[in-house]
Amino acid sequence: MNEIISIILLGIVEGVTEFLPVSSTGHLILATKLLGYDAARWGAFNVIIQLGAILAIVALYWRTFWAVGMGVIKREPKSLLFVRNLLVAFIPAAVIGLTIHKQIEALLGNAEVVAIALIVGGLAIIAVERLAPKSDIVGVADIPLPKVIGIGFLQCLAMVPGVSRSGATILGALALGVERRTAAEFSFFLAIPTMLGATALELVKNRHEMMSGEGVGLGAIALGFAVSFVVALLVVKWFIGVVTRYGFVPFAVYRIIAGAIALAWLSTL
């Protein structure tokens, strides 16, 4: 029963943090550490349940995806550019992730790295909010190809746990002159191929452990997946409203405070 409660808590953490620029992976690592669980055993669980939150985006934006799909069939330029931008931005993470996945895995159990990255990322958000150029690009399909490539490479910074995939892509887009709401939505959409790829890789690598009971089982993953999906549905619209009205600084402040508290806590262990 205690493990079921922990799975639900981890699912809530994932659903709340996946699309906020605060690092869902980092929060899951800290939560796993706080619960006293083996980071290696729970590593695949922490990655795979992120797909639940990602599917919440499909549910919330299904009209957008439907329109784009119909537009691609009809060869409409806007829809083709939408798909091109997502695929091009996804390629750097796919190539670099496959190349250095062992080094990435080594960092996934390091809570100290997460705490430091939270603080540094918070400071980066404040800097970008103050120094970013005027936003004149509205709409995912309207982002020029060079900027899309730049955002794709910046997403790779999130391979360091605690950096935040959404934070890296959103801040990268803002720094390149993309409007806030468009930057956030591009980050949402880009998460779909990125996390599908990461989940498929984890399932393939850990299939024997999950089936044998050495790792976290499929039942636990399914429960965490479902919880993260429901919670993310509730969080995303709230997040868009906050960003549109207040920007990203509130999340920067949270990151700095959370990172400092985590460092202080870890120093006592």
Side-chain angles (χ1 to χ4, degrees):
M1 180 62 71
N2 287 337
E3 186 165 289
I4 292 176
I5 293 173
S6 297
I7 290 166
I8 293 172
L9 289 174
L10 290 172
I12 292 172
V13 169
E14 164 57 28
V16 169
T17 59
E18 177 60 42
F19 300 107
L20 308 186
V22 298
S23 180
S24 62
T25 300
H27 277 73
L28 287 171
I29 291 171
L30 290 174
T32 302
K33 182 84 170 178
L34 182 63
L35 293 169
Y37 289 156
D38 177 17
R41 180 172 180 263
W42 286 77
F45 172 88
N46 287 344
V47 171
I48 295 170
I49 67 166
Q50 294 179 70
L51 188 58
I54 299 307
L55 287 182
I57 292 299
V58 177
L60 287 169
Y61 286 91
W62 69 269
R63 289 183 179 85
T64 297
F65 292 118
W66 178 265
V68 169
M70 292 298 99
V72 168
I73 293 173
K74 297 175 183 177
R75 308 293 295 175
E76 295 175 354
K78 282 278 189 182
S79 296
L80 293 173
L81 287 172
F82 183 102
V83 174
R84 181 207 68 178
N85 285 353
L86 288 185
L87 293 178
V88 169
F90 165 68
I91 289 172
V95 174
I96 295 174
L98 288 172
T99 303
I100 63 170
H101 68 275
K102 290 184 178 179
Q103 290 84 346
I104 296 169
E105 286 180 347
L107 291 174
L108 289 178
N110 196 321
E112 287 79 7
V113 169
V114 172
I116 294 170
L118 284 172
I119 296 171
V120 173
L123 295 173
I125 290 174
I126 293 172
V128 170
E129 279 277 46
R130 292 186 176 182
L131 302 175
K134 182 179 179 181
S135 300
D136 56 4
I137 300 171
V138 178
V140 171
D142 297 322
I143 304 175
L145 186 58
K147 296 183 187 294
V148 170
I149 295 172
I151 294 168
F153 276 102
L154 286 169
Q155 179 181 220
C156 296
L157 293 174
M159 293 176 186
V160 177
V163 169
S164 171
R165 186 206 58 78
S166 61
T169 53
I170 290 171
L171 291 179
L174 288 177
L176 293 170
V178 179
E179 177 266 337
R180 278 197 184 103
R181 186 185 181 97
T182 300
E185 291 185 340
F186 186 51
S187 174
F188 297 165
F189 302 148
L190 183 55
I192 295 173
T194 301
M195 294 315 303
L196 278 174
T199 299
L201 183 61
E202 288 297 326
L203 284 172
V204 170
K205 289 191 303 180
N206 295 280
R207 63 188 184 279
H208 297 302
E209 289 81 357
M210 288 187 291
M211 295 303 293
S212 66
E214 295 177 12
V216 177
L218 293 176
I221 290 173
L223 177 58
F225 180 102
V227 173
S228 69
F229 171 80
V230 173
V231 174
L233 282 175
L234 302 174
V235 168
V236 168
K237 287 190 175 182
W238 168 82
F239 174 58
I240 288 292
V242 171
V243 166
T244 303
R245 187 170 182 179
Y246 301 108
F248 295 97
V249 171
F251 302 103
V253 173
Y254 167 79
R255 287 181 64 111
I256 294 169
I257 294 173
I261 291 173
L263 275 180
W265 167 59
L266 291 168
S267 68
T268 66
L269 299 180

PDB file of all heavy atoms in Angstrom, residues 215-228:
ATOM      1  N   GLY A 215      12.785  -4.663 -11.808  1.00  0.00           N
ATOM      2  CA  GLY A 215      12.535  -3.232 -11.884  1.00  0.00           C
ATOM      3  C   GLY A 215      11.114  -2.932 -11.431  1.00  0.00           C
ATOM      4  O   GLY A 215      10.415  -3.788 -10.901  1.00  0.00           O
ATOM      5  N   VAL A 216      10.687  -1.689 -11.634  1.00  0.00           N
ATOM      6  CA  VAL A 216       9.304  -1.328 -11.314  1.00  0.00           C
ATOM      7  C   VAL A 216       8.393  -1.960 -12.348  1.00  0.00           C
ATOM      8  O   VAL A 216       8.638  -1.848 -13.551  1.00  0.00           O
ATOM      9  CB  VAL A 216       9.137   0.210 -11.299  1.00  0.00           C
ATOM     10  CG1 VAL A 216       7.692   0.577 -11.032  1.00  0.00           C
ATOM     11  CG2 VAL A 216      10.042   0.819 -10.254  1.00  0.00           C
ATOM     12  N   GLY A 217       7.340  -2.636 -11.926  1.00  0.00           N
ATOM     13  CA  GLY A 217       6.497  -3.411 -12.820  1.00  0.00           C
ATOM     14  C   GLY A 217       5.594  -2.580 -13.714  1.00  0.00           C
ATOM     15  O   GLY A 217       5.403  -1.370 -13.515  1.00  0.00           O
ATOM     16  N   LEU A 218       5.003  -3.252 -14.698  1.00  0.00           N
ATOM     17  CA  LEU A 218       4.124  -2.577 -15.651  1.00  0.00           C
ATOM     18  C   LEU A 218       2.870  -2.025 -14.971  1.00  0.00           C
ATOM     19  O   LEU A 218       2.344  -0.995 -15.378  1.00  0.00           O
ATOM     20  CB  LEU A 218       3.737  -3.545 -16.765  1.00  0.00           C
ATOM     21  CG  LEU A 218       4.869  -3.988 -17.709  1.00  0.00           C
ATOM     22  CD1 LEU A 218       4.358  -5.029 -18.698  1.00  0.00           C
ATOM     23  CD2 LEU A 218       5.430  -2.778 -18.461  1.00  0.00           C
ATOM     24  N   GLY A 219       2.394  -2.707 -13.927  1.00  0.00           N
ATOM     25  CA  GLY A 219       1.225  -2.214 -13.211  1.00  0.00           C
ATOM     26  C   GLY A 219       1.491  -0.877 -12.546  1.00  0.00           C
ATOM     27  O   GLY A 219       0.663   0.039 -12.604  1.00  0.00           O
ATOM     28  N   ALA A 220       2.657  -0.753 -11.915  1.00  0.00           N
ATOM     29  CA  ALA A 220       3.030   0.503 -11.270  1.00  0.00           C
ATOM     30  C   ALA A 220       3.195   1.607 -12.301  1.00  0.00           C
ATOM     31  O   ALA A 220       2.764   2.748 -12.092  1.00  0.00           O
ATOM     32  CB  ALA A 220       4.333   0.313 -10.492  1.00  0.00           C
ATOM     33  N   ILE A 221       3.804   1.261 -13.428  1.00  0.00           N
ATOM     34  CA  ILE A 221       3.995   2.247 -14.497  1.00  0.00           C
ATOM     35  C   ILE A 221       2.642   2.713 -15.036  1.00  0.00           C
ATOM     36  O   ILE A 221       2.430   3.900 -15.288  1.00  0.00           O
ATOM     37  CB  ILE A 221       4.860   1.656 -15.625  1.00  0.00           C
ATOM     38  CG1 ILE A 221       6.304   1.497 -15.126  1.00  0.00           C
ATOM     39  CG2 ILE A 221       4.819   2.544 -16.865  1.00  0.00           C
ATOM     40  CD1 ILE A 221       7.209   0.771 -16.093  1.00  0.00           C
ATOM     41  N   ALA A 222       1.711   1.765 -15.207  1.00  0.00           N
ATOM     42  CA  ALA A 222       0.381   2.123 -15.719  1.00  0.00           C
ATOM     43  C   ALA A 222      -0.342   3.073 -14.770  1.00  0.00           C
ATOM     44  O   ALA A 222      -0.988   4.039 -15.207  1.00  0.00           O
ATOM     45  CB  ALA A 222      -0.449   0.856 -15.930  1.00  0.00           C
ATOM     46  N   LEU A 223      -0.224   2.829 -13.465  1.00  0.00           N
ATOM     47  CA  LEU A 223      -0.869   3.701 -12.482  1.00  0.00           C
ATOM     48  C   LEU A 223      -0.235   5.096 -12.496  1.00  0.00           C
ATOM     49  O   LEU A 223      -0.941   6.109 -12.529  1.00  0.00           O
ATOM     50  CB  LEU A 223      -0.756   3.092 -11.084  1.00  0.00           C
ATOM     51  CG  LEU A 223      -1.327   3.936  -9.934  1.00  0.00           C
ATOM     52  CD1 LEU A 223      -2.800   4.251 -10.165  1.00  0.00           C
ATOM     53  CD2 LEU A 223      -1.133   3.224  -8.603  1.00  0.00           C
ATOM     54  N   GLY A 224       1.081   5.155 -12.493  1.00  0.00           N
ATOM     55  CA  GLY A 224       1.766   6.448 -12.544  1.00  0.00           C
ATOM     56  C   GLY A 224       1.455   7.198 -13.827  1.00  0.00           C
ATOM     57  O   GLY A 224       1.273   8.423 -13.827  1.00  0.00           O
ATOM     58  N   PHE A 225       1.357   6.463 -14.920  1.00  0.00           N
ATOM     59  CA  PHE A 225       1.007   7.021 -16.231  1.00  0.00           C
ATOM     60  C   PHE A 225      -0.369   7.683 -16.174  1.00  0.00           C
ATOM     61  O   PHE A 225      -0.551   8.826 -16.618  1.00  0.00           O
ATOM     62  CB  PHE A 225       1.027   5.881 -17.246  1.00  0.00           C
ATOM     63  CG  PHE A 225       0.690   6.248 -18.657  1.00  0.00           C
ATOM     64  CD1 PHE A 225       1.682   6.399 -19.609  1.00  0.00           C
ATOM     65  CD2 PHE A 225      -0.637   6.420 -19.053  1.00  0.00           C
ATOM     66  CE1 PHE A 225       1.374   6.728 -20.915  1.00  0.00           C
ATOM     67  CE2 PHE A 225      -0.961   6.743 -20.356  1.00  0.00           C
ATOM     68  CZ  PHE A 225       0.054   6.889 -21.298  1.00  0.00           C
ATOM     69  N   ALA A 226      -1.353   6.966 -15.626  1.00  0.00           N
ATOM     70  CA  ALA A 226      -2.725   7.474 -15.570  1.00  0.00           C
ATOM     71  C   ALA A 226      -2.827   8.713 -14.684  1.00  0.00           C
ATOM     72  O   ALA A 226      -3.499   9.693 -15.040  1.00  0.00           O
ATOM     73  CB  ALA A 226      -3.666   6.377 -15.051  1.00  0.00           C
ATOM     74  N   VAL A 227      -2.155   8.695 -13.547  1.00  0.00           N
ATOM     75  CA  VAL A 227      -2.194   9.846 -12.631  1.00  0.00           C
ATOM     76  C   VAL A 227      -1.557  11.064 -13.291  1.00  0.00           C
ATOM     77  O   VAL A 227      -2.107  12.176 -13.229  1.00  0.00           O
ATOM     78  CB  VAL A 227      -1.475   9.508 -11.304  1.00  0.00           C
ATOM     79  CG1 VAL A 227      -1.367  10.760 -10.437  1.00  0.00           C
ATOM     80  CG2 VAL A 227      -2.231   8.421 -10.558  1.00  0.00           C
ATOM     81  N   SER A 228      -0.414  10.878 -13.927  1.00  0.00           N
ATOM     82  CA  SER A 228       0.263  12.019 -14.561  1.00  0.00           C
ATOM     83  C   SER A 228      -0.587  12.593 -15.689  1.00  0.00           C
ATOM     84  O   SER A 228      -0.613  13.810 -15.899  1.00  0.00           O
ATOM     85  CB  SER A 228       1.640  11.601 -15.088  1.00  0.00           C
ATOM     86  OG  SER A 228       1.537  10.717 -16.193  1.00  0.00           O
TER      87      SER A 228
END
